[in-house]
Amino acid sequence: MNKLIEKALNEQISMEAQAHYLYLSIASFYEVQGMEGVATFFYDQSAEEQMHMMKIFRYINEMDGHAIVPAVPKPNAEFEDILSTFKLVYEHEKRVTLSINNIVELSTKEKDHGTYNFLQWYVQEQREEESLMRTIIDKIKLIGIGPQSMYFIDREIKEINALKNQTPQ
Ligand code: FEO
């Protein structure tokens, strides 16, 4: 496997692992506050990130490279209000998108068509994740973030969870 691509994909493993841990921490924070819908949403997101990480992990070894288990910094255990939390997640997803796009570009430059193809799934996934986060942020802005709003926000997120479960991944 091309060494530059291998290095970039190993760095991507680390980003996906960080997202996996961050979303797990967010899920836990909201679960202890009784925000069942938000907690479920982030447990699901966290599991998806682990799957994103593992797909790259297995791909590297399949291509005769060496996938490396990354050190993951401990994420915050406490988060600000719900709007700031989703904005934080949106910013993280934008960084992931940028990173994926950079590896797509690198695969073109290095004429690694296999990796280029492999990454197309991630390009689409990032488009969907960013769009979902924007939708949720817009909904939260409409509802407002006062203490009375938390029930309605949680209910909205529960509906999104139900819709996501109906859609094949
Ligand atoms: Fe796998 Fe949401 O980045």
Side-chain angles (χ1 to χ4, degrees), residues 5 20 24 26 32 35 41 46 58 79 86 94 97 130 133 151 160 169:
I5 301 276
H20 166 48
L24 191 57
I26 296 174
V32 297
M35 298 276 286
F41 177 84
S46 176
R58 302 301 298 267
F79 298 89
F86 273 95
K94 286 204 287 191
T97 302
E130 280 194 27
M133 295 311 160
Y151 170 80
I160 288 169
Q169 297 291 311

Side-chain angles (χ1 to χ4, degrees), residues 16 49 52 93 96 126 129:
E16 305 291 346
E49 298 301 346
H52 295 174
E93 288 302 329
V96 172
Q126 282 313 119
E129 297 226 315

Side-chain angles (χ1 to χ4, degrees), residues 12 15-17 19-20 23 45 48-53 56 89 92-93 96-97 100 121-122 125-126 129-130 133:
Q12 191 63 35
M15 280 200 100
E16 305 291 346
H20 166 48
Y23 300 167
Q45 289 297 121
E48 275 187 34
E49 298 301 346
Q50 190 189 30
M51 179 267 280
H52 295 174
M53 174 184 83
I56 301 171
V89 170
H92 188 89
E93 288 302 329
V96 172
T97 302
I100 291 285
W121 182 86
Y122 286 86
E125 183 73 7
Q126 282 313 119
E129 297 226 315
E130 280 194 27
M133 295 311 160

Side-chain angles (χ1 to χ4, degrees), residues 48-147:
E48 275 187 34
E49 298 301 346
Q50 190 189 30
M51 179 267 280
H52 295 174
M53 174 184 83
M54 285 312 299
K55 269 173 88 99
I56 301 171
F57 201 94
R58 302 301 298 267
Y59 175 75
I60 294 174
N61 284 356
E62 190 192 321
M63 300 308 286
D64 210 19
H66 186 183
I68 306 293
V69 176
V72 182
K74 184 175 178 289
N76 288 342
E78 311 257 322
F79 298 89
E80 291 176 35
D81 59 80
I82 189 89
L83 182 59
S84 308
T85 303
F86 273 95
K87 281 183 173 170
L88 174 83
V89 170
Y90 182 46
E91 289 308 314
H92 188 89
E93 288 302 329
K94 286 204 287 191
R95 282 196 296 277
V96 172
T97 302
L98 187 67
S99 172
I100 291 285
N101 289 344
N102 285 341
I103 312 176
V104 169
E105 229 173 275
L106 182 66
S107 66
T108 307
K109 202 169 138 246
E110 295 295 315
K111 297 189 170 49
D112 183 346
H113 304 296
T115 298
Y116 179 91
N117 270 343
F118 169 74
L119 288 172
Q120 295 313 300
W121 182 86
Y122 286 86
V123 171
Q124 165 141 355
E125 183 73 7
Q126 282 313 119
R127 193 168 63 222
E128 287 169 12
E129 297 226 315
E130 280 194 27
S131 159
L132 176 63
M133 295 311 160
R134 273 197 304 273
T135 304
I136 295 175
I137 287 170
D138 287 346
K139 272 185 199 284
I140 296 174
K141 282 181 181 164
L142 278 174
I143 298 170
I145 55 166

